[in-house]
Amino acid sequence: MSYVDEVIARVVKENPNEPEFHQAVKEVLNSLRPVVDANEEKFRRDAVLERIVNPERQLKFRVSWVDDNGQVQVNTGYRVQFNSAIGPYKGGLRLHPSVNLGIIKFLGFEQIFKNSLTGLPIGGGKGGSDFDPKGKSDREVMAFCQSFMTELCKYIGADTDVPAGDIGTGAREIGYMFGQYKRIRGLYEGVLTGKGLSYGGSLARKEATGYGLLYIVQEMLKCHNDTLEGKTVIVSGAGNVATYAIEKAYQLGGKPVTCSDSTGWVYDPDGIDLAALKEIKEVKRARLTEYRNYRPNAEYHEGRGVWSVKADIALPCATQNELNLDDAKTLVANGCKVVAEGANMPTTQEATDYLQENGIIFLPGKAANAGGVATSALEMSQNSERLSWSFDEVDKKLQGIMANIYHNIDNAAKKYGFEGNYVVGANIAGFEKVVDAMQAQGIV
Ligand code: NDP
């Protein structure tokens, strides 16, 4: 059995009931075969793969809080500090009922390579809770966030572990958590990113993941002598990533025609009304069913179906495994040319394989959505020097980072004979830097 296969088998055996974690490990390790095979003896002796698939530390804790009826509620909190070879742990906090240890481990594992690709000094981590902020009052959300941070604050800090937002954790939640951290630790420091502008947040952080996604697509198209001008774009999700992907798609000349949430999806043939979307989701925190009140000509459908709309470019921006093999077949049949992942692992392995085998240009999330964490690292830099940069300054850096990521993954794919395979390119480019740092630091 090859070294890669041995480690995959061990991960599956030692981490039962964590299918998403298995999926992420298999995808990464399978595409690292050319590098691992070339260094097998040394990597085996140093147990490089066993170390990289094992989190340095994983925390699981009780989060008790009182709801508006005086009833005590109990949730589970997690923080997985996966790999600190190249910098302090960095990665978001997901608040969603589907959260469990396996989900956090898959996200933390992906984060190691994503953070490495940004070229910035940040290690990989992820956290969250099965708490659902939907339908809760502001006071209940605050009570949860304060209880969550009361425990988490013992393990994080501006130079050790810097969490950020993710699904269900937006500006409101980050604000409550920051307030509680400061209150308990007595430290006004950049311990969280995605903060409000009045207390240490960075301009352009809110927009960064969606904007970055479009910047990398733009750079890739440029290298294929093409542009976004006049392209129809289908987007899933209606949260932070989707909203700002839609905004930037318009700015670069594209026409985004769909968005979705967990109850349904919208097809607006005239192009998504961005102001309406922001009002529904960012102001009212309402469902997409409201969209037709703003645009009576748009279609609203219950369930899922974004990928059935004919388009040039598909941007999955909601959640993991939301684009399956049947969806991939539909995209190919409809003449789609590019799939770029705004969400983390939104495409199943079978769908990814099918898209790549059928000539679709596929940009994996760990490269395509790295703009968010990259800008979080820029927020950390601003906090450290106690300065705030202008929107343009941050946005220009973000554009440069995304273009660099594209060239790095393109070059890594070419170097190992997989030209155009950006999954292989992203995994290898991300892995090489982390392994180099791990080996330099000895057996830890
Ligand atoms: P938000 O919570 O702002 O939005 C998530 C969107 O996806 C919502 O429209 C939500 O609908 C939908 N969604 C979530 N879960 C499901 C589900 N199980 N089925 C169907 N739809 C679902 O999150 P973000 O936009 O921040 O994150 C989206 C994705 O991007 C995630 O995979 C995240 O890990 C990834 N990401 C985010 C970054 C960031 O900077 N925010 C950075 C890099 C990656 P509803 O509201 O109805 O639940």
Side-chain angles (χ1 to χ4, degrees):
M1 209 191 246
S2 77
Y3 181 34
V4 163
D5 290 321
E6 270 175 38
V7 175
I8 290 176
R10 204 168 146 182
V11 165
V12 172
K13 184 160 172 265
E14 291 175 1
N15 302 269
N17 307 318
E18 296 181 357
E20 293 85 2
F21 181 50
H22 303 167
Q23 185 182 343
V25 168
K26 283 179 192 166
E27 185 228 270
V28 171
L29 295 199
N30 277 323
S31 62
L32 292 177
R33 285 180 197 274
V35 187
V36 175
D37 291 349
N39 297 279
E40 174 150 354
E41 202 185 320
K42 183 167 171 39
F43 281 7
R44 261 186 195 277
R45 190 195 61 211
D46 292 348
V48 167
L49 296 185
E50 289 87 338
R51 284 193 286 148
I52 213 156
V53 299
N54 261 299
E56 289 174 16
R57 188 173 301 104
Q58 52 191 42
L59 309 158
K60 183 176 176 198
F61 48 93
R62 185 177 70 208
V63 186
S64 314
W65 55 280
V66 182
D67 72 15
D68 285 347
N69 298 320
Q71 173 66 49
V72 173
Q73 300 287 343
V74 181
N75 289 101
T76 305
Y78 302 91
R79 185 72 183 165
V80 173
Q81 300 180 327
F82 224 116
N83 191 301
S84 61
I86 63 169
Y89 310 106
K90 181 92 198 83
L93 297 171
R94 177 171 294 190
L95 299 182
H96 194 272
S98 64
V99 164
N100 56 46
L101 185 60
I103 296 271
I104 299 298
K105 278 164 70 180
F106 118 65
L107 290 163
F109 183 67
E110 288 279 299
Q111 197 83 44
I112 303 170
F113 307 100
K114 179 191 308 194
N115 292 3
S116 166
L117 284 174
T118 65
L120 300 167
I122 38 180
K126 197 83 187 188
S129 171
D130 56 358
F131 171 77
D132 187 358
K134 257 189 241 132
K136 305 285 190 302
S137 69
D138 280 352
R139 196 210 59 81
E140 288 176 322
V141 171
M142 182 172 73
F144 168 82
C145 290
Q146 291 183 339
S147 179
F148 180 80
M149 185 51 84
T150 300
E151 182 62 22
L152 187 67
C153 76
K154 300 168 192 165
Y155 311 102
I156 62 175
D159 293 314
T160 49
D161 184 355
V162 184
D166 191 73
I167 291 178
T169 308
R172 175 182 59 173
E173 291 75 16
I174 292 287
Y176 292 147
M177 289 182 197
F178 183 77
Q180 186 73 350
Y181 179 88
K182 181 166 62 72
R183 178 191 194 189
I184 298 181
R185 298 287 303 270
L187 290 170
Y188 204 110
E189 59 171 9
V191 66
L192 290 162
T193 57
K195 300 187 290 300
L197 296 177
S198 57
Y199 63 96
S202 173
L203 285 161
R205 172 60 187 92
K206 182 175 67 174
E207 295 83 356
T209 309
Y211 277 24
L213 175 65
L214 271 297
Y215 290 146
I216 197 168
V217 169
Q218 182 187 34
E219 186 68 20
M220 180 277 297
L221 289 174
K222 194 171 102 192
C223 295
H224 289 77
N225 298 315
D226 204 352
T227 69
L228 270 148
E229 198 60 49
K231 300 272 191 301
T232 304
V233 183
I234 46 178
V235 178
S236 65
N240 174 266
V241 180
T243 301
Y244 293 94
I246 288 171
E247 182 165 292
K248 186 52 77 177
Y250 273 127
Q251 290 173 10
L252 298 178
K255 185 180 174 191
V257 294
T258 64
C259 60
S260 67
D261 63 16
S262 47
T263 46
W265 60 285
V266 165
Y267 171 50
D268 189 336
D270 300 325
I272 293 293
D273 181 335
L274 186 62
L277 176 64
K278 285 187 183 178
E279 188 167 314
I280 295 166
K281 286 295 173 183
E282 292 183 354
V283 182
K284 295 186 178 169
R285 296 180 188 272
R287 314 306 303 162
L288 275 179
T289 35
E290 293 218 359
Y291 187 85
R292 289 196 69 237
N293 299 339
Y294 297 79
R295 302 273 275 207
N297 290 336
E299 296 173 17
Y300 174 80
H301 303 271
E302 294 285 322
R304 54 196 298 286
V306 161
W307 313 124
S308 63
V309 174
K310 193 170 163 52
D312 304 298
I313 298 175
L315 305 176
C317 297
T319 192
Q320 64 273 1
N321 294 326
E322 53 158 318
L323 196 164
N324 62 30
L325 181 57
D326 287 341
D327 301 321
K329 288 181 178 168
T330 308
L331 289 173
V332 170
N334 281 343
C336 181
K337 300 280 182 301
V338 176
V339 174
E341 296 184 320
N344 285 312
M345 208 169 74
T347 316
T348 65
Q349 188 60 55
E350 299 75 35
T352 305
D353 294 343
Y354 186 86
L355 293 170
Q356 290 188 312
E357 282 157 14
N358 285 278
I360 300 244
I361 298 174
F362 182 82
L363 289 168
K366 65 172 71 70
N369 69 35
V373 75
T375 308
S376 275
L378 301 179
E379 182 174 330
M380 289 165 71
S381 300
Q382 294 169 76
N383 292 164
S384 296
E385 61 177 19
R386 306 213 188 290
L387 289 175
S388 297
W389 306 340
S390 70
F391 188 98
D392 271 1
E393 213 174 337
V394 179
D395 191 39
K396 287 232 160 52
K397 286 192 197 323
L398 172 63
Q399 286 182 50
I401 290 167
M402 297 313 294
N404 268 338
I405 292 177
Y406 173 69
H407 293 290
N408 283 343
I409 66 174
D410 188 40
N411 289 337
K414 284 179 181 151
K415 181 173 153 195
Y416 287 93
F418 289 86
E419 180 161 359
N421 186 334
Y422 302 120
V423 174
V424 169
N427 287 330
I428 291 181
F431 174 78
E432 282 186 330
K433 181 178 172 190
V434 175
V435 166
D436 186 66
M438 283 172 71
Q439 292 192 309
Q441 292 169 27
I443 304 305
V444 290

